[in-house]
């Protein structure tokens, strides 16, 4: 099994490290400037396993949506705790179906422990590898491996990506940090499915942007993945709630359009 896996992560548990990591989330690098008029739900998959590319993508497509796949180029063609990882064929199939790719670093590094310059170099390697693998669509999104980051890195990513996704739970609305967007983890425990459904239904009543993330999708998933039937259940509730199912960039495009004021026509003369 490969070491580039969520299972290989051990956070720094010292008190000062925990405090610094948590303080980072409250330092906004780039605020979101709009709240959606209706609930938006974005399905995202990290690393990513073949099961996400095949089963996960299919489930999202059934409700008329596209997902965002954060590709860690270092795991391509390997296997780890979440199963067999994607190949060139998976990239080609997802690209043909209109799904979005985001960056996830090449070596799946801890962005909180690593100096920003090294992280940026690893991201560039990730982007280069994905281009070499045949990804022709622009990569505008990023997700922090293991979910942690530092304020200096958030600032450095402005202009490089339109948004960066973290793993801290919550719903995104006006003022949320585009460089550390909130997201809900989907794992094999029923409580994560119940939490996601409750959040989606609440967002239908009080509009917001709900981002979901997971790894593998299977009948018997890893601790970092979700059961197929649970993802299907979530997708059905998204559809029932009338939420828009959009990729990360599609969601940002829609939010941007909502802030644009119509051009005023000159009053007729005479």
């Amino acid at each position: 099994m490969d070491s580039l896996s969520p299972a290989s992560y051990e956070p720094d548990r010292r008190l000062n490290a925990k405090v610094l990591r948590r303080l980072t989330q409250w330092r906004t690098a780039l605020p979101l400037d709009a709240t959606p008029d209706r609930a938006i739900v974005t399905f995202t998959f990290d690393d990513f396993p073949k099961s996400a590319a095949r089963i996960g993508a299919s489930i999202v497509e059934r409700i008329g949506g596209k997902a965002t796949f954060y590709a860690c180029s270092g795991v391509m063609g390997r296997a780890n705790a979440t199963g067999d990882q994607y190949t060139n064929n998976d990239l080609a199939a997802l690209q043909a179906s209109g799904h979005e790719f985001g960056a996830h670093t090449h070596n799946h590094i801890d962005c909180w422990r690593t100096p920003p310059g090294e992280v940026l170099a690893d991201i560039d390697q990730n982007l280069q590898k994905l281009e070499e693998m045949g990804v022709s669509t622009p990569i505008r999104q990023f997700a922090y491996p293991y979910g942690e980051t530092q304020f200096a890195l958030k600032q450095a990513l402005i202009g490089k990506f339109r948004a960066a996704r973290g793993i801290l739970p919550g719903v995104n609305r006006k003022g949320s940090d585009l460089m550390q967007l909130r997201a809900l983890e989907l794992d094999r425990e029923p409580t994560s499915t119940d939490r996601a459904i409750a959040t989606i239904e609440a967002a239908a009543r009080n509009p917001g942007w709900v981002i979901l993330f997971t790894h593998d999708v299977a009948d018997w998933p890893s601790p970092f993945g979700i059961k197929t039937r649970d993802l299907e259940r979530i997708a059905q509730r998204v559809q029932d709630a009338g939420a828009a199912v959009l990729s990360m960039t599609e969601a940002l495009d829609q939010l941007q359009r909502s802030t644009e004021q119509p051009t005023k026509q000159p009053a007729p003369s005479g």
Side-chain angles (χ1 to χ4, degrees):
M1 303 293 281
D2 196 273
S3 62
L4 298 180
S5 159
S8 66
Y9 180 60
E10 181 61 35
D12 187 339
R13 300 188 185 279
R14 292 174 298 174
L15 179 59
N16 67 326
K18 290 180 180 180
V19 170
L20 288 172
R21 288 199 302 270
R22 290 299 166 256
L23 286 175
T24 299
Q25 69 177 294
W26 302 117
R27 298 186 66 189
T28 300
L30 184 65
L32 180 64
D33 58 6
T35 295
D37 297 329
R38 60 183 282 212
I40 297 173
V41 176
T42 300
F43 292 84
T44 69
F45 301 91
D46 290 358
D47 293 347
F48 53 92
K50 277 183 172 292
S51 61
R54 298 176 183 183
I55 302 171
S58 176
I59 291 171
V60 177
E61 288 168 8
R62 280 180 226 159
I63 58 171
K66 304 300 179 187
T68 298
F69 292 81
Y70 293 102
C72 174
S73 49
V75 305
M76 191 195 80
R78 302 185 183 186
N80 62 28
T82 63
D84 291 338
Q85 303 298 294
Y86 73 95
T87 64
N88 279 338
N89 289 339
D90 297 312
L91 288 174
L94 289 170
Q95 189 163 245
S97 297
H99 293 282
E100 179 180 34
F101 298 116
H104 203 42
T105 79
H106 174 70
N107 289 300
H108 208 277
I109 56 178
D110 184 340
C111 294
W112 184 77
R113 286 176 168 156
T114 309
E118 292 182 27
V119 176
L120 293 172
D122 204 70
I123 290 172
D124 286 341
Q125 186 178 6
N126 186 202
L127 296 172
Q128 180 181 345
K129 291 290 185 182
L130 291 174
E131 184 177 352
E132 292 170 358
M133 293 172 198
V135 175
S136 58
T137 53
I139 294 179
R140 302 184 177 96
Q141 305 297 328
F142 179 73
Y144 302 103
Y146 312 117
E148 300 291 358
T149 186
Q150 50 192 299
F151 187 66
L153 178 59
K154 292 203 292 186
Q155 291 180 306
L157 294 179
I158 296 173
K160 191 174 187 69
F161 299 106
R162 288 184 66 181
R165 199 215 72 209
I167 62 169
L168 295 169
V171 178
N172 301 289
R173 296 185 173 92
K174 185 175 182 178
S176 295
D177 193 351
L178 281 167
M179 292 296 109
Q180 195 176 12
L181 287 168
R182 302 281 176 149
L184 298 179
E185 182 175 13
L186 304 178
D187 60 31
R188 66 187 182 188
E189 297 301 323
T191 51
S192 81
T193 296
D194 293 341
R195 179 179 68 167
I197 289 172
T199 302
I200 290 160
E201 291 177 344
R205 297 188 296 271
N206 179 22
W209 180 15
V210 180
I211 302 172
L212 308 173
F213 77 95
T214 193
H215 292 79
D216 50 307
V217 184
D219 291 340
W220 301 101
S222 76
F224 311 99
I226 187 171
K227 293 179 180 178
T228 303
R229 68 173 181 266
D230 287 339
L231 188 60
E232 290 173 334
R233 182 179 164 218
I234 291 169
Q236 183 60 56
R237 298 298 279 272
V238 169
Q239 191 171 48
D240 293 344
V245 185
L246 306 173
S247 69
M248 294 291 294
T249 294
E250 287 174 335
L252 288 171
D253 285 345
Q254 180 164 303
L255 287 166
Q256 182 178 1
R257 286 194 296 271
S258 72
T259 64
E260 294 174 350
Q261 298 297 322
T263 303
K264 292 184 178 181
Q265 298 297 320
S269 58

